[in-house]
Amino acid sequence: MSKLGELNFVFKGSSEAKDAFIVLHGYGADMHDLASLGQWLAPRVDAAWYFLQAPLEVPIGPYMSGRAWFPIDMMKLQMATAQNQFSKLFEDHLPEGIDESARKVKKVIELVGQRHQQVHLAGFSQGSMMSAKLALENQSLISSLTMLSGVLVSKDLWKKHVSGSVPFPTFQSHGVMDPVLPIQEARKLRDFLISINQNHEYIEFQGGHEIPMNVLDGCLKFIKRVVA
């Protein structure tokens, strides 16, 4: 099994490419979950794709487990969503355990940066939250940020690290019927990013917690621009 620093990964694309994308999966998935995207993107974009495995093992069903970047109390998440108190879980503070995972991913960013000229971050759901935090705290190391079905994590952290505007383009997508991460929270993230970044792109689609074809098409166009 391939490893960068402390994290396992699946590789797709060209190891000699100028641009590298580090991709973080969602809660309960693993490094293979998004690797099929790399197969779809590799012939279309000259880039290296590193699909990382989160360090934590979490139960997702009877005798079944997945991986996570930080623990989430799913019952508390559902209750907060139902009571319209979602912001108390993520927007108002950093989740416990996120800093330790961020340290491990930062090491990967540094190692990948030694092999490639530009490093881009991307993530889905919880991986999107992680990617955003890492890009914010390591702005000089990142060339673009892609957030698929993510929400704002610790608005105070963003305000602390952003003076004026962020130096890299950003892409965001979210389903209006997302049952896991509410669309209103994604719109908060969108509005905040627009306020600090003239190069923010946003796609809202009629769907749930997923990556539909129109998002893939929009993401591909964005990627081709940032690697040009």
Side-chain angles (χ1 to χ4, degrees):
M1 189 175 290
S2 300
K3 181 170 285 192
L4 277 167
E6 300 178 57
L7 300 178
N8 296 322
F9 72 98
V10 172
F11 181 82
K12 303 290 182 181
S14 170
S15 60
E16 303 300 320
K18 172 177 67 74
D19 293 86
F21 287 80
I22 296 173
V23 185
L24 310 184
H25 63 75
Y27 181 91
D30 61 21
M31 61 186 177
H32 300 286
D33 185 57
L34 298 176
S36 59
L37 293 181
Q39 287 182 290
W40 184 81
L41 288 163
R44 295 168 170 84
V45 182
D46 182 23
W49 300 87
Y50 296 86
F51 296 87
L52 302 189
Q53 175 124 302
L56 303 179
E57 185 173 3
V58 293
I60 57 174
Y63 310 107
M64 297 175 63
S65 64
R67 313 296 295 191
W69 300 102
F70 52 87
I72 292 180
D73 186 327
M74 298 307 290
M75 184 66 70
K76 185 181 292 185
L77 175 65
Q78 293 172 0
M79 291 178 62
T81 301
Q83 297 170 3
N84 199 29
Q85 296 180 336
F86 188 92
S87 62
K88 292 183 179 180
L89 294 180
F90 298 117
E91 183 182 339
D92 294 343
H93 72 286
L94 278 175
E96 183 178 347
I98 194 172
D99 283 326
E100 178 62 17
S101 286
R103 179 188 65 78
K104 295 176 181 179
V105 179
K106 182 183 179 182
K107 180 61 177 178
V108 174
I109 294 171
E110 293 170 343
L111 291 170
V112 171
Q114 295 172 11
R115 304 181 182 186
H116 306 274
Q117 294 179 36
Q118 295 192 120
V119 178
H120 309 262
L121 276 180
F124 174 75
S125 191
Q126 190 187 65
S128 173
M129 302 180 206
M130 277 294 302
S131 296
K133 170 181 162 59
L134 283 154
L136 175 67
E137 295 179 333
N138 303 279
Q139 295 178 41
S140 64
L141 303 179
I142 303 303
S143 295
S144 77
L145 171 63
T146 298
M147 297 161 285
L148 308 176
S149 297
V151 296
L152 186 63
V153 175
S154 183
K155 193 169 185 177
D156 288 340
L157 179 73
W158 281 85
K159 289 179 177 178
K160 175 183 175 182
H161 286 277
V162 175
S163 57
S165 63
V166 293
F168 46 78
T170 52
F171 177 91
Q172 179 194 2
S173 69
H174 213 94
V176 296
M177 295 179 286
D178 193 324
V180 180
L181 300 174
I183 185 62
Q184 60 266 29
E185 299 302 319
R187 289 168 179 165
K188 286 182 185 178
L189 174 60
R190 173 201 63 191
D191 294 344
F192 179 71
L193 287 172
I194 288 174
S195 73
I196 61 170
N197 188 358
Q198 294 182 341
N199 292 314
H200 181 61
E201 296 183 32
Y202 177 74
I203 293 179
E204 199 168 275
F205 59 92
Q206 295 296 319
H209 203 62
E210 57 192 297
I211 309 174
M213 197 65 218
N214 64 318
V215 168
L216 285 178
D217 288 339
C219 189
L220 177 59
K221 292 176 182 176
F222 173 77
I223 290 169
K224 285 185 173 181
R225 282 196 293 274
V226 299
V227 302

